[in-house]
Amino acid sequence: MLKFLIGVVPVCILGSSMANAGQNINVAGVMTCVIDKWNESEPEKGHKLVDYAGRCVIVPDDAGGQKAVEDCSGTYEYMPDGSWKGSGGCTAAVKSGDTISLTWEEGSQLKESLYTYTGGTGKYKGAKGGGSYKVDELTTTLYGGRKKGNIELP
């Protein structure tokens, strides 16, 4: 199997469960992700494409923050020169039933992987913001690490 990425995706909602309009919520915390699908194809020697799907659990540093679960998907491309890149999206859910959407970007050119919030439902409708994350391979399908960033509520 290919050497895995800086991080297998994603990140999510963490901050306070008492989110208010105009609030900036710190989302620093721990993340654990599992790979559900890693379908590789090799259109030419040394050039690999991957269709990815996985799930993550996010636990905030703030004891009063929202724990979240995310469903993520995306694609990765590995080039013959050893460089690689990946991108996709996630939908995260919190206990209240509210969700938040995000896009993510990973690659050999990045020190840390990046994510951007793109909206949500309930109190996260219109959410913006983002940050970075880094995870390490624990097994071939399980990753753990940390994220940092913020959610900006309208």
Side-chain angles (χ1 to χ4, degrees):
M1 183 169 279
L2 291 174
K3 179 177 186 247
F4 280 98
L5 1 150
I6 289 175
V8 166
V9 214
V11 281
C12 195
I13 304 175
L14 293 177
S16 169
S17 61
M18 301 299 290
N20 296 315
Q23 186 175 3
N24 190 356
I25 304 169
N26 181 349
V27 297
V30 173
M31 57 190 293
T32 302
C33 301
V34 63
I35 296 174
D36 294 318
K37 177 174 75 170
W38 188 265
N39 294 339
E40 293 182 18
S41 63
E42 191 168 6
E44 58 191 21
K45 185 165 177 66
H47 181 208
K48 293 188 179 185
L49 302 175
V50 176
D51 186 24
Y52 158 83
R55 295 167 287 144
C56 297
V57 174
I58 311 299
V59 179
D61 290 343
D62 175 3
Q66 291 270 356
K67 294 178 181 130
V69 294
E70 336 183 281
D71 287 312
C72 303
S73 62
T75 58
Y76 289 91
E77 182 176 19
Y78 293 84
M79 303 306 288
D81 67 3
S83 65
W84 63 274
K85 62 184 176 180
S87 62
C90 300
T91 299
V94 296
K95 192 173 184 177
S96 68
D98 293 343
T99 65
I100 190 165
S101 301
L102 62 100
T103 60
W104 53 268
E105 176 187 352
E106 300 177 351
S108 55
Q109 81 284 6
L110 299 172
K111 183 177 178 181
E112 291 188 348
S113 300
L114 304 173
Y115 67 95
T116 303
Y117 292 113
T118 59
T121 64
K123 65 184 160 193
Y124 299 105
K125 185 174 182 176
K128 295 180 182 178
S132 63
Y133 63 97
K134 186 172 181 180
V135 296
D136 295 311
E137 182 178 2
L138 303 173
T139 71
T140 57
T141 59
L142 184 63
Y143 289 75
R146 296 197 51 81
K147 65 174 278 186
K148 57 187 173 185
N150 63 57
I151 296 174
E152 301 165 13
L153 298 179

